Structure formats: C-alpha cells, structure tokens
Amino acid sequence: MRPRHKRLSQLMIYATTACQSKCKHCNIWQKRPVKHLALEDIQRIVQSQCVTSRTTIGLEGGEFVLHPQAYEIMAWLQANHPNYTLLSNCLAPHLVIEAVRKYHPRHLYVSLDGGRETYKYMRGRDGYDYVIEVIETLRNEVPLSLMFCLSPWNSFNDMAFVIEIAKKYKIDVRIGIYGTMAFFDTTSELLSATDFIGHIPQNIHDTQENYDFVALYDQWRNGNLKLRCQSIMSSLVIHSNGDVPLCQNLDVMLGNIHQNSLDEIFNSATSCQTQCRYSKHCNGCWINFHRKYDIILMRNLERLFPKWVIEKFYGPYQWTENPKQTYYRYLKAIQ
C-alpha cells in the first residue's frame, strides 16, 4: 500500500565468496578475488529503516564461517539483532559448532544433497561425515534444518535419503530445486523427467512445506504455472561486493550499499517501479527463496475467496494449463 515505505521480512546477506567446497551446482568457489562485506557494512545495513526486529537476517556465503570477521559479525548481531540465522556446508564443523554455541543464531541451515558418494560427486569434497557430526552435536541446541537441492547431479533417491536422515534425527528438511542464480554463475539447465510427479518420493509427505513446491515445479517447467512474484516486495539479498539485486534469479541490480543506503536502494522511486514491473510480469524462476512465498500467499487466499474474486484484485494466475484449476483441486488430484 505504501511502496516507498516497505519493510523487509527476509534479508539474506552473502557476506563472503570464500568457500572450501567445489560444487557442481555453484561456482562461487571459483570467484577471484575473494570478496567480503565488512562488519561496518553489515552494521549499517541492519540499522536501516527497512530492517525491523521482525526481519530475519540470513548469514551465508560462500561459507560464512570462513569470513575473517565471522565471529565479530555474529557477536554484534547477537547483541543488536538476535533474529538472525546461519547457513553452512559444515566442511569446517568445529568452526560451525563453536559459532553456534557462542553466538546463538535463531536457526542453523545445513546443506546435504544426498549420501556419502552423492555428496562427494556433487560438492567435490568428502564432507558427509562433517555434516552428520554437526547434526549430532547441535540438533538439541539450536533449531536445525537440512537443505536439500534437487539438481541434475543427484536424484529423487537422494531426496528420499536426506528426508530419512532428517526423520532419524527429528529435524526439519527444506527442499529446493536447482535454478539459475547470477551470483553463483550457474547455468540455465532444467531438471528433466518423463514422469516427474511419479518420481517424487513418498516420504516427502512426512515433511512440511515441500511437496507442493516440488510437484508444482513440473507445471512451471512445462510453462503451465503462472504466478506473480510478490516476494521481491519484502525479501532481499545483498552480495559480498555490496550489490543489491532485485532477486536471487535475475542479474538486475537495484543498487550497491557502498554507493547508497539500503533504504534508498530498496525504497527509491526507481526501485519501486522496477519491483512493480517484475512482480506483475516475471515468472522466470522456481527458486524456493521466492516462490514458496508466492505458493503460500495464493493457497491461503484461495481458502478465503473464489479464484475469480482473487483475480479481480490480483490479476490472472494459474496453477496448471487449466486456468480455472485451484491449488487444492490440483494437489488433491495428484496425491
């Protein structure tokens, strides 16, 4: 309602490009020179008006614990913005364990894309045991989620395996799907399967907020699903060189924090025009950071209003090739 006064619900800070992994689905480890956001940069970002106490700040990289000021940043956030989370590949398990125990992030997200052999193939390092070490050490000390990315280098069998690991340790699992991100220098290769829905493992139904995201990817991939991207109005990422892109997928920059304040970048008239234009017309990715927001928004609206009423104020949208199909009818038909 007030586009020049928006507040952020999520802010992901890619604070460093330093990384000791060699992932096939992310090339950030090849970026040279390595770049870091300084503690002073992060302090200035967090003190912006568009960041409130309810804004969840994520610390990521690269591998955040390799940042030369990682502990200083976490100590400052613990004192000044405790609503922050940590993402890690856990290849330096003792650094992660020490950071969590000293500085108490609200949540720890750990990457795991399959079993030992899949992990080594997809991430270029034999890091499976390190991930399990962190899980076993910290699962009762901090809310912990496994982050699984379905990609051309692993399979639905790997997804089922990771879900079972989450069930074994009684922790959460979040499933994403490989896509393009300019910051990570990834390609535009899409997943392929002749029977995508039929390959989804049954145990995904034992998790929360995952099945619909994975199942609807098939409709999006085939050009049938069309949703506006509302998440860019309240979710933002900042790169290690200070760039602030419109979203994780597009190489469209709103500004740079070394040249303007975050408030000027996020809520300027020019940025608002860009956000509005892409929100209405972009349907170009299936990245969970953005599209899970849109799924939840629309399915909740459909609980309250008929689809034709929603389209009066939201605009046309569709879940499948049938523009009249609702979220619940489609999900019920395929389960």
Side-chain angles (χ1 to χ4, degrees), residues 87-110:
L87 293 84
S88 178
N89 60 26
C90 293
L91 291 179
H94 301 303
L95 290 180
V96 175
I97 292 167
E98 182 181 9
V100 168
R101 285 177 167 171
K102 278 188 174 181
Y103 306 113
H104 306 292
R106 289 280 172 88
H107 207 112
L108 174 63
Y109 295 95
V110 174

Side-chain angles (χ1 to χ4, degrees), residues 277-290:
R277 183 169 71 254
Y278 279 92
S279 174
K280 291 178 180 177
H281 303 295
C282 186
N283 189 49
C285 81
W286 202 245
I287 295 173
N288 57 352
F289 182 74
H290 294 291

Side-chain angles (χ1 to χ4, degrees), residues 224-226 302 307-308 311 315-327 329:
N224 299 325
L225 183 147
K226 297 179 176 63
E302 287 188 358
K307 188 173 184 293
W308 66 269
E311 292 184 324
Y317 71 98
Q318 59 190 73
W319 301 103
T320 69
E321 61 184 356
N322 176 5
K324 295 183 179 180
Q325 181 78 282
T326 66
Y327 169 92
R329 286 179 181 173

Side-chain angles (χ1 to χ4, degrees), residues 56-276:
T56 299
I57 293 176
L59 298 178
E60 193 172 354
E63 173 62 9
F64 177 77
V65 295
L66 299 182
H67 191 296
Q69 294 181 294
Y71 286 4
E72 294 173 69
I73 292 168
M74 294 180 72
W76 187 86
L77 286 173
Q78 181 186 18
N80 296 278
H81 192 95
N83 186 21
Y84 79 96
T85 65
L86 176 64
L87 293 84
S88 178
N89 60 26
C90 293
L91 291 179
H94 301 303
L95 290 180
V96 175
I97 292 167
E98 182 181 9
V100 168
R101 285 177 167 171
K102 278 188 174 181
Y103 306 113
H104 306 292
R106 289 280 172 88
H107 207 112
L108 174 63
Y109 295 95
V110 174
S111 299
L112 183 62
D113 299 312
R116 187 185 311 279
E117 292 305 314
T118 297
Y119 189 103
K120 187 175 181 180
Y121 171 69
M122 185 169 170
R123 292 186 167 261
R125 292 287 305 274
D126 188 7
Y128 177 80
D129 288 337
Y130 294 142
V131 172
I132 298 302
E133 178 185 351
V134 170
I135 294 171
E136 291 181 342
T137 303
L138 294 177
R139 65 191 176 99
N140 294 320
E141 299 183 30
V142 63
L144 197 155
S145 295
L146 293 180
M147 302 291 285
F148 174 87
C149 178
L150 182 65
S151 77
W153 301 280
N154 60 2
S155 68
F156 283 109
N157 289 334
D158 294 306
M159 181 188 294
F161 176 87
V162 172
I163 292 172
E164 288 304 312
I165 292 292
K167 290 167 65 176
K168 174 183 176 180
Y169 291 107
K170 298 179 181 178
I171 57 178
D172 179 41
V173 59
R174 311 286 176 93
I175 295 174
I177 297 178
Y178 172 80
T180 59
M181 293 188 190
F183 182 59
F184 298 124
D185 295 330
T186 54
T187 64
S188 57
E189 185 175 354
L190 296 178
L191 301 183
S192 60
T194 54
D195 180 19
F196 190 89
I197 300 297
H199 282 78
I200 300 174
Q202 186 63 31
N203 64 356
I204 198 174
H205 295 288
D206 299 330
T207 73
Q208 295 183 348
E209 305 293 348
N210 286 310
Y211 178 71
D212 57 358
F213 177 75
V214 176
L216 288 167
Y217 172 82
D218 193 43
Q219 292 293 332
W220 173 81
R221 179 189 61 162
N222 292 318
N224 299 325
L225 183 147
K226 297 179 176 63
L227 292 180
R228 290 172 56 168
C229 186
Q230 294 294 118
S231 65
I232 58 175
M233 298 298 187
S234 63
S235 300
L236 201 63
V237 300
I238 300 177
H239 294 167
S240 53
N241 64 355
D243 281 344
V244 182
L246 173 71
C247 69
Q248 285 193 345
N249 182 58
L250 298 173
D251 198 17
V252 176
M253 295 301 154
L254 300 179
N256 186 290
I257 62 151
H258 299 307
Q259 299 169 4
N260 296 97
S261 71
L262 186 62
D263 289 314
E264 291 170 337
I265 293 169
F266 184 56
N267 281 324
S268 71
T270 301
S271 291
C272 290
Q273 291 172 359
T274 301
Q275 291 158 346
C276 255

